[in-house]
Amino acid sequence: MEESSITLLWVLLGTALSNPLFGAEENRVVKEEQDVRETSALEQGQAHLAQGIKMRSDSIMQGQETVDGSEGKDAGQVARDVEVAVPTGYVTQLPAVTVTGAPAYPESSGYTTNRADSLTRTDLPLSDIPASIQVVPHEVLRDRAVIQPGQLLENVSGVQTEASYGGNRGMFFNIRGFTTHSSSRDGFQYNGNLATRDVQNIERIEVMKGPSGTLYGGIGSLGGQVNTVSKRPLYYNYGAINLLWGNYQQWRPTFDINRVLGKGFSVRLNGAYENNGTFRDGGGFESYSLAPAISWQGERTSVTLLAEYNRLDQDLFDFGLPNLPNFRHLSRTRYFGLRKGDYPDLPGDSGLNETYVGTAILHHQLSQTWGLRIATQYHRATQDSTQSFPDNYLYTGDNKLHFTHYMNGHEWSRGHAVQAELRGQVHTWSFEHNLLFGTEYRKVVNGFNNTDQTGFVLDLFDPGMRPAHHEPIILGEGYNEGRGDDIGIYAQDLLTLTSAVKLLAGLRLDRFHNEAESSGYTNSANQMTLSWQVGAVWELNPTAALFTRVGRSHSNSANQMTLSWQVGAVWELNPTAALFTRVGRSHSPNITRSIDASVFDAEVGTQKEIGAKFNFFDRRLNATLAAYKLTRRHILTSDPNDPLRNILAGRQSSHGFELDVNGELTQRWKVIASYAYTHAEVKADGFFPVGDKLPDVPRHSGNLWTTYEPGGVLQGLGVGGGIYAASSRQATLPNSHKLGAYVRMDTTAYYDTGNWRAQFNVNNLFDTKYYYGGASGVYNYTLIPNPPRTFLLTLSYRL
């Protein structure tokens, strides 16, 4: 008998998950045979098998996470170390056998990402789309032990974390030089100023650089679009429980449970609790998150329902340090504000945020080439706070700084949206069209009450020194609210001219209705209004009465029609490289929350972009190189002399180039890295000096994160680390002082065996001290110090 040894690739793929209609991402088996090694059972057309032949799959998927984003390596999808006993005997000649397969969500497997369906509204690979798009999969977040929203995009080029609103876990980023606190969740935009999000329920983050108005219309950033994708129900049973401990009295249990109910139904529940003392004196918070989801998959129709509740209860309301020229001499652990008991008749600073989000998504396959998507989302976020805000514009250069104390404030943000989209393929002559037609209605409301307020003075260098008495309390009355309605229709065509050349064209027509209302007394630089009412009731008899009322409140409204557009092209040079270019213009309505009832024209952004996309090692490693020029006009910002009043700035621009790399160098060596050169400045303005650089935008920034699993006798062990660096940048607008350059290093080590995983992270290994600021003139008044050296230990158990 002649013997031969056979190694086969074995991948388990649930048939339900192969349905292209499931979920908002429309799963499918990818065209690329990624991470798959093909073997032939016969050589020269003949083979002989012997008794005891061992067929062993070679850890095909390396324990990578798929749709669930959990910490499991098996999760019902990994086939490894499979032994098959084959009877002794002669085997006749057989045709060559090729075994291929794909994980349940191959484009999110490991660090390699080939699609961003929820962001691009199409199931086409990123290589076919003429835009710079990056995806951060959950495995990167897990390996880095990311638990704060500000850490989500540290591995994406040209993106900087910005100071959130009093540490409220909002989504605040700077993209290509421009700030954004309006992100999208599962393809729906929402205002991130108040709405918080827990990392536990995030499957991945998708980022499109530059204006994206042809798909998303307004209420978004013109620097880029950040879309967080929620975890969806799976079609296999899965469960994981995790417990994280850290210094500064931090502990954080989380869980992720998925169950198949039968008849097409699956449910999933994610939850998290965190208690964190933080490194700030007297600081700390408690947070809760609960995210249930249910889905039903029929033959041609699928329905997914997602919900999420987040609660953040802060002991203080932490703006960090006042953004002053001498900030380097201020303590990075001290809280600059009022604590409970500092003044007996004043409440201490605190914050309570609650966010509710509900999403429903329906997909229906109309034919083999056409599908319908109908989705809706509702969100409501509230914030109750007492806060001490630094009045930097009153600073005279000595050791004293005046603060304004806003008491018992209540802020709210709510909105709902409905989307209907039809997408499919048609052929005209020899050309293929990938078409998208859609319509969307969106309503957003942002408001706050006028709080009681007083003032006090702090010694910046002596925490125990403050006046014995604060200033008289000024009572606040009424509220201020901004409302925006957006009705949009859009169309997009990705035209395949040849197998190597593709053209993209998109249009969106929006009708913005923008309204602002202010009750009570309203003061601004150019107007004063008084809202009032008088009335009377005259009881005619015990069963009847007459009444009359006359009143006035102050509100303004405006309507605006805008046309956003983009055109682009992709030219595939060879199977591993392609060139792309894109030009586009977008509009974003300015929905004000100012103390006056002003309404403003929509912001306008225009971008030109050119770049190249590469893939290596059978598409396991992807790279994008892009150069761009981006210009914004009609920018809503805070008045430098009054942070509660909004104004329109003139024109700002940024240009630069970026490089992003992510994927696997080998099956055991993963990497995600980026570099960005960004030059952002004021081009024309009536308030800020022309030529001033935009704040918190380093000229040079970059990062590298990598992990390696040696295997062999060290099977299950993994080590990794990362470097994050940025050059100096301006701290304020107008420019007055700079934030210094920095280099930070993080490390990790983990061991995965059976159902258990232990992971140890050290962030900021060398205790580098640096700061990041806020948006141009919005939270430009404060600086957030980066946490010192932090130790995190995570234990995970897969059910």
Side-chain angles (χ1 to χ4, degrees), residues 49-67:
L49 297 180
Q51 182 178 15
I53 288 179
K54 180 187 297 185
M55 297 191 300
R56 184 180 188 273
S57 72
D58 198 18
S59 300
I60 311 310
M61 297 167 57
Q62 306 175 59
Q64 297 166 348
E65 297 166 26
T66 52
V67 188

Side-chain angles (χ1 to χ4, degrees), residues 165 317 350-352 383-387 406-411:
Y165 185 11
F317 199 79
S350 64
L352 175 62
Q383 177 170 278
D384 296 300
S385 67
T386 292
Q387 51 186 272
Y406 300 96
M407 294 169 278
N408 303 319
H410 179 66
E411 300 171 80

Side-chain angles (χ1 to χ4, degrees), residues 486-515:
D486 176 8
I487 300 176
I489 55 173
Y490 49 96
Q492 178 177 283
D493 182 12
L494 183 65
L495 172 64
T496 301
L497 293 179
T498 70
S499 60
V501 179
K502 297 178 175 64
L503 302 179
L504 176 71
L507 287 172
R508 175 164 175 147
L509 179 66
D510 284 280
R511 182 261 192 187
F512 300 137
H513 175 76
N514 195 9
E515 184 176 84

Side-chain angles (χ1 to χ4, degrees), residues 136-155:
V136 182
H138 191 277
E139 187 165 344
V140 174
L141 307 182
R142 181 201 63 181
D143 291 349
R144 291 187 52 219
V146 169
I147 56 177
Q148 300 293 337
Q151 302 172 287
L152 290 173
L153 300 182
E154 288 186 317
N155 296 104

Side-chain angles (χ1 to χ4, degrees), residues 315-354:
D315 296 335
L316 303 174
F317 199 79
D318 197 354
F319 282 111
L321 282 61
N323 193 352
L324 301 173
N326 61 350
F327 72 91
R328 291 182 181 86
H329 302 294
L330 303 179
S331 169
R332 65 170 170 169
T333 62
R334 177 186 170 186
Y335 178 69
F336 291 88
L338 290 187
R339 296 185 179 90
K340 184 178 180 180
D342 284 347
Y343 288 108
D345 59 334
L346 297 181
D349 293 349
S350 64
L352 175 62
N353 289 74
E354 291 186 289

Side-chain angles (χ1 to χ4, degrees), residues 119 131-134 157-159 174-178 180 189 207-217 220-226 565-566 582-586 605-609 626 628-632 654 658:
L119 178 70
S132 179
I133 299 173
Q134 281 73 49
S157 67
V159 180
N174 187 296
I175 306 176
R176 287 186 169 175
F178 299 135
T180 173
Q189 287 187 334
V207 183
M208 180 185 292
K209 308 289 187 60
S212 56
T214 55
L215 292 179
Y216 288 90
S221 165
L222 298 181
Q225 186 72 24
V226 178
W565 56 269
Q566 68 169 331
R582 182 173 67 131
V583 179
R585 171 172 291 182
S586 297
T606 304
Q607 178 178 263
K608 301 174 182 177
E609 183 176 28
Y628 67 92
K629 182 175 182 180
L630 175 58
T631 303
R632 296 170 70 200
S654 73
E658 301 165 344

Side-chain angles (χ1 to χ4, degrees), residues 647-770:
I647 58 174
L648 276 184
R651 180 163 56 92
Q652 300 174 358
S653 73
S654 73
H655 65 270
F657 63 89
E658 301 165 344
L659 173 65
D660 289 90
V661 179
N662 69 290
E664 286 88 31
L665 297 172
T666 69
Q667 288 190 333
R668 301 185 183 278
W669 187 4
K670 304 169 189 175
V671 64
I672 183 168
S674 71
Y675 166 78
Y677 170 85
T678 311
H679 183 86
E681 63 180 353
V682 177
K683 302 297 289 186
D685 206 283
F687 298 92
F688 303 121
V690 174
D692 267 17
K693 304 302 182 289
L694 301 187
D696 206 30
V697 183
R699 188 70 61 92
H700 303 276
S701 61
N703 62 82
L704 167 66
W705 174 265
T706 183
T707 60
Y708 181 73
E709 299 176 354
V713 296
L714 299 177
Q715 182 68 34
L717 178 67
V719 295
I723 298 176
Y724 301 84
S727 61
S728 62
R729 59 255 187 243
Q730 293 293 331
T732 62
L733 187 67
N735 297 162
S736 61
H737 55 283
K738 289 186 176 182
L739 304 176
Y742 69 87
V743 177
R744 186 190 93 220
M745 180 174 287
D746 299 343
T747 64
T748 186
Y750 56 87
Y751 183 70
D752 204 323
T753 178
N755 292 335
W756 289 93
R757 178 185 173 99
Q759 179 173 316
F760 183 65
N761 292 74
V762 182
N763 294 335
N764 197 4
L765 179 64
F766 298 110
D767 202 15
T768 301
K769 183 188 293 186
Y770 66 94

